[in-house]
Amino acid sequence: MNPKIVVVGSSNVDFIMKVTRLPEKGESTTDATFVQTFGGKGANQAVAAARAGGDTWFVNCIGTDPFAPALKQALIEAGVHVDYVFTREGETSGAALVMIGEGGMNYITVAPGANYSLTPEMVRSLEPLLRQAAILVLQYEIRPETLYACMDLAHTLGLPTLFNLAPARPFDSAYLPKVTYLVVNETEAQSLCGFAVDTPQAVEQAAEALLTRGAGTVILTLGAQGAYLASANLRQHIPAFQVEAVDTTAAGDVFCGALAVALVEGKPLPEAARFACAASAISVTRLGAQPSVPGRAEIEQFLEKAL
Ligand code: ADP
């Protein structure tokens, strides 16, 4: 039997406007092109894990808006199990309004909608599923109390957690000891540590500080610089793969999903991180969040070529 990866998190309907120039306050512009895609960090990570070959189960709430069936269908087509994607009557699925302007500058507004209907009680009812899981993957687009309930339950069950503290929001660091793998980018590390994480020295200092505060393993993602790993007896920088970046949306999500797959397959951490760097490098060469996620064969071919 394949080890189960359970992802608890958000799903969003993304409405993306590409403009040549972002409007000023109160201004209307009419030169946009429009695309509607599916995103949300939880859904992106579940899709990334499933495409990378993981037996992936997604826990999430969606609404009964006209986009909800297609949102669910996109998960199914990626190979994600949706038995625990709950439909909330009369609610609206999470939605993101994204305006992308010159040089990738953007305005983004997220309405959590049904994502905030996932309660600690619902999480606690997942115990039978979590008992069969090999890892629990979490991000921070759900209610804090629901996130903490996930961490408490995983801790009680002795289930490893992979927590991507994204987006950066106030987080009770008393929960860090319940995080087996903490994945943060420089901005998120800064919000946790309280100092700028923008030099190689600061990256190392941030990793040490987070280990001291109880995180089991710290994985700092560094964009085109790759990732820095720190655990009890390991400190290692994993370089990024050199690619032509087109759109880095969801690079961190693809990294987390692929990392979870490699970890449950028993790959040592540096090898797992290299697999995740390969998956995310491929994803930044393509537009969009979920449409850019690579499959297992593509990741393996990419790694072979890079040798
Ligand atoms: P986030 O999207 O959360 O800000 P990062 O930007 O750190 O996360 O990207 C996550 C991972 O994606 C990095 O660790 C790296 O492996 C890969 N990645 C991101 N940008 C690039 C890039 N320009 N070239 C190659 N790999 C990249």
Side-chain angles (χ1 to χ4, degrees):
M1 217 172 65
N2 283 332
K4 275 192 175 59
I5 296 169
V6 177
V7 181
V8 179
S10 60
S11 62
N12 288 332
V13 185
D14 291 349
F15 302 92
I16 304 170
M17 290 274 184
K18 289 203 167 158
V19 293
T20 49
R21 180 180 65 79
L22 290 169
E24 302 290 327
K25 206 172 177 184
E27 186 188 358
S28 300
T29 56
T30 56
D31 65 342
T33 50
F34 174 71
V35 258
Q36 185 269 308
T37 60
F38 295 109
K41 291 178 188 296
N44 292 347
Q45 294 186 14
V47 164
R51 292 236 187 105
D55 183 17
T56 308
W57 296 67
F58 186 40
V59 179
N60 171 238
C61 288
I62 60 173
T64 46
D65 52 283
F67 294 97
L71 187 168
K72 197 167 170 178
Q73 190 56 34
L75 293 164
I76 293 168
E77 278 167 19
V80 176
H81 296 279
V82 294
D83 311 52
Y84 297 88
V85 173
F86 305 108
T87 298
R88 308 285 296 185
E89 212 46 55
E91 292 187 22
T92 303
S93 301
L97 269 188
V98 182
M99 220 187 268
I100 305 176
E102 58 277 27
M105 289 271 285
N106 56 34
Y107 295 140
I108 302 179
T109 306
V110 175
N115 288 314
Y116 271 20
S117 294
L118 190 68
T119 60
E121 292 67 41
M122 289 164 89
V123 164
R124 285 189 277 272
S125 75
L126 298 171
E127 187 175 327
L129 173 69
L130 293 185
R131 279 191 182 282
Q132 300 168 24
I135 198 164
L136 174 62
V137 179
L138 302 164
Q139 324 74 32
Y140 209 179
E141 282 185 331
I142 53 174
R143 286 186 185 279
E145 59 269 31
T146 305
L147 175 75
Y148 299 145
C150 289
M151 290 181 175
D152 285 334
L153 181 56
H155 186 71
T156 307
L157 299 175
L159 171 65
T161 53
L162 188 163
F163 175 43
N164 177 215
L165 202 173
R169 292 164 62 184
F171 172 73
D172 180 356
S173 57
Y175 277 89
L176 280 177
K178 294 184 177 175
V179 177
T180 317
Y181 301 97
L182 176 69
V183 183
V184 281
N185 67 16
E186 290 130 310
T187 316
E188 293 144 9
Q190 173 170 345
S191 83
L192 261 179
C193 295
F195 57 84
V197 183
D198 52 3
T199 63
Q201 292 83 341
V203 165
E204 289 175 19
Q205 278 166 11
E208 298 306 323
L210 295 169
L211 283 182
T212 305
R213 283 154 72 182
T217 292
V218 177
I219 297 137
L220 258 145
T221 64
L222 310 169
Q225 303 304 316
Y228 181 77
L229 317 175
S231 64
N233 42 24
L234 175 94
R235 305 285 185 278
Q236 192 170 338
H237 175 247
I238 306 289
F241 292 92
Q242 290 216 346
V243 292
E244 191 81 36
V246 171
D247 175 16
T248 59
T249 312
D253 292 337
V254 174
F255 184 95
C256 290
L259 182 69
V261 173
L263 288 171
V264 301
E265 288 177 359
K267 290 189 170 56
L269 182 63
E271 195 186 324
R274 197 164 174 273
F275 182 82
C277 281
S280 48
I282 298 169
S283 79
V284 304
T285 65
R286 301 200 279 247
L287 264 181
Q290 291 177 21
S292 75
V293 176
R296 178 67 175 231
E298 194 179 6
I299 302 170
E300 280 176 356
Q301 279 163 16
F302 182 92
L303 279 166
E304 269 169 36
K305 274 199 207 140
L307 275 180

